[in-house]
Structure formats: C-alpha cells, structure tokens
Amino acid sequence: MIVAKVEKLEPLLLRKQWMNDLAQAASFLESLNLAHGDLRPENILLDRNRLKISDFDCTAEIGTDFEACLAPYGRLLNSNDTVHGRPGGSGLLGPRTEQFALGSLYYLINYGFEVYGDVCFTEDPKEHRPKVVELLQNMEFPKLNSDPLIDNIIDKCWHNKYTTVSELAAHTETLFMRQKINDDAPNGRESDGDYSGNEDHLEEDFSSKRAFCQELEKRGLLSVLSSDEPEHLGFTLEWYRHSSGAV
C-alpha cells in the first residue's frame, strides 16, 4: 500500500549542495576524532539554502560504544557484522555509523521520503518501523532509481564503502562542483571538460582544511566549545542566547 507520494523535489544543484554540506560537517567532526552519533532530520537545520548539523548530545570520540539512533538513520548489526561488534547491537561510533546515517539522509533529500517511507508493510502502523529495522539489519534496502551518481553515493554509504567520512566529503564536493559547472555552462549544456584538475584541487583543499581543523583541536577548540563562554569564540551573549550551535 502506497502511503506517500512526492510531487516535486528541490533542484538538483541544491540537493547536491545539501549532500555536500552534511558530509563536510561530519568530516569536520571526524578531523577532531569525533562522530556526531545522531544524524537524522530532527538534528539538521536549514539556514537559508544551506544545511547545518546541530544537537551534539550524542557526539563522542570515534571508537566509543554506539547506541544507534532510530531507523533508518541507525542500523543494528547482523550475524555477518561480527567484525564491527555484537549482532543485535550497534557497534562503535565511526565512519561506518556516520556514513550510514548520511546515506539515509541523502535518500530523504533525493527521493522526498524516508527509507521505506513510501510503503506500509503492516496493517498496524506501529509495526512498520520494527519491520524497517529488520530489513536494514539484514542489509535489504529500497531500489535506487534516481540520479545514478547520487544513487552510487547512497549505496556506498549504506554498504560502508568509504574508509573515512572525509573520503565521502571529497566525493560529494566533486559531485556538487561538477553540477555547478554544468549549470553555469552556456545554454545549460553539460560541460564535457576534464575534471581531473578540479578533483586534484579539491583533494588538496580538503587536506588543507583537515590540517587546519587538527590545529584548532590542538589549540583547545573542544574545551572552548564546552566552556559556556561563547565570547572566547567572538560570539556575543545576545547571539548565544538566541541561537543553536551548528557545524
């Protein structure tokens, strides 16, 4: 039974920008040896046309025991996942958990509904989510039939194909920049230029950003962020009281 129907998606360029926004934010945390731990729509902010990650209550060091957020943004391990932890548990925080959540967020952005949000598996709506939990635990995902490049990223996220979140972020940035170049091409024609130089530049730029983040960590950024003294970061008390923290 179909329970949801998408009438219209956001423009492709904006969707790819949103994908990159989320990957870059999660990658920044990774550069500090942290994982967000609760990446889901409720913790994503829309600032004009940009997405930002918020709510860091579950953020912890990579390798910390992970208590998965609700499906489809968290996934329980099955008997074939013993390398990641105990079957039925969630394993440890890290690139695997972060990219899985991002993959499901990317699905929502590009399909207009959550994973399996367009169907109802049971007569009782309360039994729908447990069924989704079971399907994801068994690595059974909905069919991907949208933009091939985006679907490739979603599939790789779900199957833990990125060694690090920074690798994913480099991929999404290249995807976004390619789309931007195509959209800016004369008469809207797709550019057939060589992107290898751009990709090399993006990789160098990303490495530079990573080094910068690591330097901030050494200088005590994490202590300042948790110090309840926002003026140390140049924020006014008025701004702090009326804003939520976001990456």
Side-chain angles (χ1 to χ4, degrees):
M1 178 175 63
I2 300 297
V3 296
K5 182 179 179 181
V6 180
E7 297 294 339
K8 184 179 179 181
L9 293 172
E10 297 292 344
L12 184 59
L13 178 63
L14 182 58
R15 284 184 273 138
K16 290 182 177 180
Q17 177 176 288
W18 284 351
M19 292 174 65
N20 188 49
D21 286 342
L22 296 177
Q24 297 299 329
S27 177
F28 171 76
L29 290 175
E30 181 182 70
S31 71
L32 302 176
N33 197 40
L34 298 173
H36 185 276
D38 197 17
L39 293 171
R40 52 192 171 97
E42 292 83 352
N43 294 332
I44 306 300
L45 305 179
L46 178 62
D47 182 7
R48 296 180 176 85
N49 281 333
R50 306 299 298 273
L51 293 187
K52 297 183 178 182
I53 293 174
S54 67
D55 194 346
F56 300 94
D57 290 348
C58 296
T59 300
E61 290 186 356
I62 292 172
T64 302
D65 285 333
F66 177 50
E67 188 170 326
C69 57
L70 294 176
Y73 307 100
R75 173 183 165 269
L76 299 179
L77 300 174
N78 60 41
S79 58
N80 296 321
D81 290 320
T82 53
V83 67
H84 299 300
R86 174 182 56 82
S90 303
L92 304 177
L93 274 175
R96 178 185 62 84
T97 59
E98 297 290 273
Q99 67 183 281
F100 185 89
L102 288 171
S104 294
L105 285 168
Y106 293 164
Y107 184 91
L108 173 61
I109 290 171
N110 290 284
Y111 284 81
F113 42 79
E114 291 187 327
V115 176
Y116 292 121
D118 59 330
V119 297
C120 185
F121 294 113
T122 64
E123 292 296 329
D124 183 355
K126 293 181 181 179
E127 296 300 318
H128 175 76
R129 188 175 293 276
K131 179 62 177 177
V132 173
V133 171
E134 179 184 348
L135 288 169
L136 297 183
Q137 184 175 16
N138 293 328
M139 298 294 286
E140 297 178 33
F141 303 103
K143 183 177 180 180
L144 300 174
N145 54 10
S146 183
D147 182 286
L149 296 178
I150 291 176
D151 286 347
N152 177 51
I153 290 178
I154 294 173
D155 185 73
K156 291 178 71 172
C157 285
W158 282 343
H159 290 88
N160 192 34
K161 297 299 184 181
Y162 293 103
T163 305
T164 62
V165 179
S166 64
E167 181 182 335
L168 166 60
H171 194 172
T172 58
E173 186 163 9
T174 299
L175 183 72
F176 169 61
M177 291 304 297
R178 284 183 173 182
Q179 187 65 44
K180 192 173 189 305
I181 291 171
N182 288 335
D183 282 10
D184 292 341
N187 301 321
R189 293 179 298 178
E190 184 172 350
S191 171
D192 58 357
D194 180 7
Y195 295 101
S196 59
N198 291 326
E199 292 175 359
D200 290 343
H201 173 73
L202 290 173
E203 184 64 32
E204 292 175 4
D205 184 56
F206 192 84
S207 297
S208 176
K209 290 178 181 178
R210 181 181 180 86
F212 176 71
C213 292
Q214 291 173 335
E215 179 63 22
L216 288 177
E217 181 185 17
K218 292 178 181 178
R219 291 174 178 271
L221 174 64
L222 297 181
S223 298
V224 175
L225 287 174
S226 60
S227 68
D228 292 327
E229 298 180 2
E231 62 273 14
H232 289 178
L233 292 175
F235 299 144
T236 65
L237 290 177
E238 181 180 2
W239 179 93
Y240 183 73
R241 292 192 185 105
H242 294 86
S243 302
S244 297
V247 173

